[in-house]
C-alpha cells in the first residue's frame, strides 16, 4: 500500500534552511496523475498548504512563504524534498508530506505521512 | 486566495445524535471540496472527496453535500470514535487552502 514517511532535523536555527525528505513506498513518484505535496500544521493556525511538485519537475508554492520554499524530486530514491530558507520561529510546525491524486484536472490529498515536528530555535 | 470558513468551530454532541459541519468558500469552487478527519497525534484522513464522493473504508455514517460556495459534512448517529477535528479543503485553485477546523467532542 502507499506509504509516505517524513525525515529531517527536528531543530533548526533561525535564519538557517529547513530541509525535509519524504520517502514514498507503494507507488513511484514518476507515475502520472500525482503531485507530491508538503503541508504544515501550526497548532495555533491550523493547516497550511506549502506547495507541490509533479514528476516533470513543475512546482507551485504558496505565495505566503514569499519565495522561501523549494521542492525537488529524487526519482532514484523515490523521494521528494522540501527546503525552506531563512526560517523564523513562525516556521515552527508539524510538517506533513502527502500525495495529491489527480483526475480530470481535479486533485485531492489522499495519502499523508505521519508528520515531523520542526522547531526553529537558537 | 480562496478562504474557507467552517462552522461551528466546536460542538459537544451525545452519541447517536446527528452532527452537521458547514464549510463556506469565499468564491465558487464547484465540487472541488474535500473533508478530512484528524484525531490527536494522527495525520489528517480523507473522509469525503469532491463534496459528496465516499471513500473506501470510511463508515457510511459520514456523508457530504454541496457545490459552489456552500458545503456540509454530516455524521449520522455519532459514535465515540468520531471525536476529532474536521477540516474542509479546496483544490479548485492555487494556493490550495484549508478551513480553520471544527472540533467535535463527545458528551
Amino acid at each position: 500500500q502507499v506509504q509516505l514517511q517524513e525525515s529531517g532535523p527536528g531543530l533548526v536555527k533561525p535564519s538557517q534552511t529547513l530541509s525535509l525528505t519524504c520517502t514514498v513506498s507503494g507507488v513511484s513518484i514518476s507515475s502520472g496523475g500525482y503531485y507530491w505535496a508538503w503541508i504544515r500544521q501550526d497548532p495555533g493556525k491550523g493547516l497550511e498548504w506549502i506547495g507541490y511538485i509533479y514528476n516533470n519537475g513543475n512546482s507551485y508554492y504558496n505565495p505566503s512563504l514569499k519565495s522561501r520554499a523549494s521542492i525537488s524530486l529524487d526519482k532514484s530514491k523515490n523521494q521528494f524534498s522540501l527546503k525552506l530558507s531563512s526560517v523564523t520561529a513562525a516556521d515552527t510546525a508539524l510538517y506533513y508530506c502527502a500525495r495529491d491524486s489527480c483526475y480530470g484536472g481535479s486533485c485531492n490529498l489522499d495519502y499523508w505521512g505521519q508528520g515531523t515536528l520542526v522547531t526553529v530555535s537558537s | 486566495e480562496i478562504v474557507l470558513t467552517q462552522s461551528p468551530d466546536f460542538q459537544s454532541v451525545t452519541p447517536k445524535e446527528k452532527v452537521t459541519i458547514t464549510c463556506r468558500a469565499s468564491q465558487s469552487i464547484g465540487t472541488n471540496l474535500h473533508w478530512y478527519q484528524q484525531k490527536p497525534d494522527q495525520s489528517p484522513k480523507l473522509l469525503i472527496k469532491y463534496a459528496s464522493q465516499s471513500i473506501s473504508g470510511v463508515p457510511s455514517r459520514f456523508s457530504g453535500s454541496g457545490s459552489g460556495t456552500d458545503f456540509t459534512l454530516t455524521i449520522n448517529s455519532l459514535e465515540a470514535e468520531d471525536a476529532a477535528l474536521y477540516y474542509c479543503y479546496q483544490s479548485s485553485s492555487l494556493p490550495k487552502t484549508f478551513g480553520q477546523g471544527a472540533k467535535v467532542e463527545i458528551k
Side-chain angles (χ1 to χ4, degrees):
Chain A
Q1 73 276 25
V2 177
Q3 291 185 315
L4 296 91
Q5 177 68 58
E6 306 87 351
S7 60
L11 181 64
V12 181
K13 288 183 166 52
S15 80
Q16 293 191 342
T17 296
L18 176 162
S19 295
L20 296 174
T21 295
C22 182
T23 300
V24 180
S25 59
V27 63
S28 170
I29 62 172
S30 299
S31 301
Y34 306 118
Y35 283 82
W36 302 96
W38 287 96
I39 299 103
R40 68 182 182 180
Q41 186 169 31
D42 174 339
K45 289 190 176 180
L47 291 158
E48 180 180 32
W49 185 85
I50 296 171
Y52 66 12
I53 190 166
Y54 196 62
N55 63 11
N56 62 3
N58 287 348
S59 56
Y60 183 89
Y61 305 100
N62 195 324
S64 68
L65 296 169
K66 297 181 173 60
S67 303
R68 297 189 295 124
S70 175
I71 300 174
S72 59
L73 297 169
D74 186 337
K75 295 180 181 180
S76 67
K77 295 181 180 178
N78 217 38
Q79 296 175 335
F80 64 105
S81 298
L82 169 70
K83 290 190 187 300
L84 186 64
S85 63
S86 305
V87 297
T88 69
D91 295 309
T92 293
L94 189 57
Y95 285 76
Y96 294 101
C97 59
R99 185 180 82 169
D100 208 359
S101 184
C102 304
Y103 180 77
S106 298
C107 308
N108 67 91
L109 297 163
D110 59 353
Y111 286 94
W112 296 60
Q114 64 185 34
T116 188
L117 179 63
V118 178
T119 301
V120 178
S121 175
S122 55
Chain B
E1 172 176 313
I2 294 175
V3 176
L4 298 178
T5 304
Q6 294 181 235
S7 63
D9 289 334
F10 172 85
Q11 51 190 311
S12 183
V13 185
T14 302
K16 298 188 180 180
E17 284 189 0
K18 179 179 174 179
V19 171
T20 299
I21 300 170
T22 65
C23 179
R24 175 161 288 175
S26 58
Q27 62 190 75
S28 180
I29 56 173
T31 57
N32 293 299
L33 188 285
H34 318 284
W35 290 98
Y36 293 84
Q37 177 193 63
Q38 186 177 34
K39 296 183 179 180
D41 299 320
Q42 293 185 19
S43 54
K45 170 189 170 185
L46 182 62
L47 281 182
I48 299 288
K49 63 180 180 180
Y50 302 111
S52 62
Q53 293 182 19
S54 58
I55 302 297
S56 175
V58 173
S60 59
R61 63 182 179 274
F62 291 93
S63 64
S65 63
S67 66
T69 60
D70 294 302
F71 303 86
T72 301
L73 173 70
T74 301
I75 310 173
N76 281 302
S77 192
L78 186 77
E79 297 193 7
E81 66 182 26
D82 300 332
L85 268 167
Y86 292 86
Y87 292 95
C88 54
Y89 165 75
Q90 68 82 19
S91 60
S92 176
S93 67
L94 297 169
K96 302 191 182 185
T97 51
F98 292 87
Q100 81 276 17
K103 186 173 183 178
V104 174
E105 176 190 270
I106 309 299
K107 270 185 189 174

